[in-house]
Amino acid sequence: MSITWSAYKRARRRSRQAWAILGLAAATVVAGLSWYFTTGQFTAAEPWAAGPSEAPVYNPGWMKPLRGGVPVAPEKASDALERLPVKGRAAKSDYDRAAFGQAWADADRNGCDTRNDILRRDLSAVEFTEGSSCKVAGGSFHEPYTGAQVTFRRGQDTSAAVQIDHVVALADAWQKGAQQLTVQQRQIFANDPLNLIAADGPSNVKKGAGDAATWLPANKNFRCHYVARQVSVKAAYKLWITQAEKDAMKRVLSSCPEQQTIYNAR
């Protein structure tokens, strides 16, 4: 069967168009897969949540300044991020929580242990146990990681619902420079209000020792503050970050280019 020259050209043009469409579709699929295996797998798996956009750091009413980390200058968090060293993780096999000193010590020597200081700082309508001006028995707050309204009640079966999260996890810090800190510096790091936030217990457990590349709060309003706080902690204690961690931090901060570092009285 013979065809005319004009019919041949039309068929050839349609063939080129079909190949162009297939090429565009393939590029879209590749881009989608790339997004999913970097950021998307974390975002897609999380329910959308909204809540507070920041958390408190220091209350001079009952907290005293700590001496340990380098004071964090107020500046754009993205600028501070660029100055953090980028390296691989050190071994975790020799990590021991005891390397960071007594858990919830009275590091600022104000007469109250750190856990109760942070509960008092972050909760509203705080109640103390009878006869104590330190031991927090209850309170409520707009929890920053989930955005939910949470009530805290001290008790064997209820206390774990609100935990004190190390914004930069101790095990993560151990693998990124904390091994070079002194014992005293590590204890201050573990009790520094800059590195501590009262948080939803299950969310804190899910985070584990994750960094920004593996875990971010479900409350997307809080992510800029959260990442800026991690950058600030790592700058204060001269810790490093991995390339994947830096990439994740940059993605978050790109949505809030004016986000400042988080600094406290020292």
Side-chain angles (χ1 to χ4, degrees):
M1 182 180 68
S2 61
I3 60 174
T4 64
W5 175 247
S6 59
Y8 170 77
K9 288 196 294 182
R10 283 196 302 272
R12 185 178 176 85
R13 185 166 56 251
R14 284 196 294 268
S15 176
R16 287 198 297 268
Q17 289 172 342
W19 278 110
I21 292 170
L22 286 173
L24 179 61
T28 301
V29 169
V30 169
L33 288 173
S34 175
W35 171 83
Y36 178 80
F37 286 108
T38 53
T39 303
Q41 59 180 319
F42 306 116
T43 302
E46 297 169 349
W48 190 89
S53 60
E54 60 183 14
V57 176
Y58 180 75
N59 190 317
W62 65 88
M63 291 177 167
K64 294 182 179 180
L66 292 177
R67 298 286 183 265
V70 176
V72 180
E75 61 176 328
K76 288 184 179 181
S78 56
D79 291 341
L81 172 61
E82 289 303 320
R83 292 198 300 275
L84 293 179
V86 177
K87 303 181 186 180
R89 289 177 177 271
K92 186 182 177 182
S93 56
D94 58 347
Y95 166 70
D96 187 339
R97 171 62 180 83
F100 289 85
Q102 176 189 341
W104 309 134
D106 180 11
D108 67 349
R109 300 184 181 180
N110 70 344
C112 301
D113 66 77
T114 301
R115 174 176 166 78
N116 283 295
D117 274 343
I118 301 304
L119 287 172
R120 184 179 178 184
R121 182 198 68 184
D122 292 3
L123 272 55
S124 299
V126 171
E127 301 170 11
F128 296 99
T129 59
E130 187 176 354
S132 174
S133 58
C134 280
K135 200 171 182 179
V136 175
S140 61
F141 69 134
H142 201 174
E143 197 278 327
Y145 289 174
T146 64
Q149 288 289 342
V150 174
T151 298
F152 169 73
R153 284 292 160 201
R154 179 178 294 276
Q156 183 175 347
D157 300 324
T158 57
S159 288
V162 175
Q163 300 178 12
I164 308 302
D165 178 43
H166 287 96
V167 178
V168 174
L170 302 187
D172 180 68
W174 182 258
Q175 293 180 277
K176 298 173 183 174
Q179 296 183 41
Q180 281 72 58
L181 300 177
T182 66
V183 173
Q184 182 181 17
Q185 285 174 323
R186 286 197 294 266
Q187 178 157 319
I188 292 172
F189 174 87
N191 290 275
D192 191 336
L194 178 65
N195 194 32
L196 298 170
I197 293 177
D200 171 67
S203 294
N204 189 36
V205 171
K206 184 177 180 181
K207 171 188 171 179
D211 59 22
T214 58
W215 188 90
L216 289 169
N219 170 20
K220 295 178 183 179
N221 286 348
F222 193 68
R223 289 181 178 180
C224 286
H225 176 95
Y226 177 79
V227 166
R229 202 149 168 161
Q230 287 190 326
V231 169
S232 301
V233 170
K234 294 207 168 189
Y237 290 90
K238 299 183 178 179
L239 306 179
W240 66 75
I241 53 177
T242 64
Q243 186 60 55
E245 183 181 7
K246 181 174 183 178
D247 292 343
M249 287 175 158
K250 288 181 72 172
R251 283 194 294 270
V252 171
L253 294 176
S254 68
S255 68
C256 46
E258 298 303 315
Q259 172 68 52
Q260 297 290 295
T261 51
I262 314 299
Y263 58 100
N264 63 346
R266 293 186 179 278

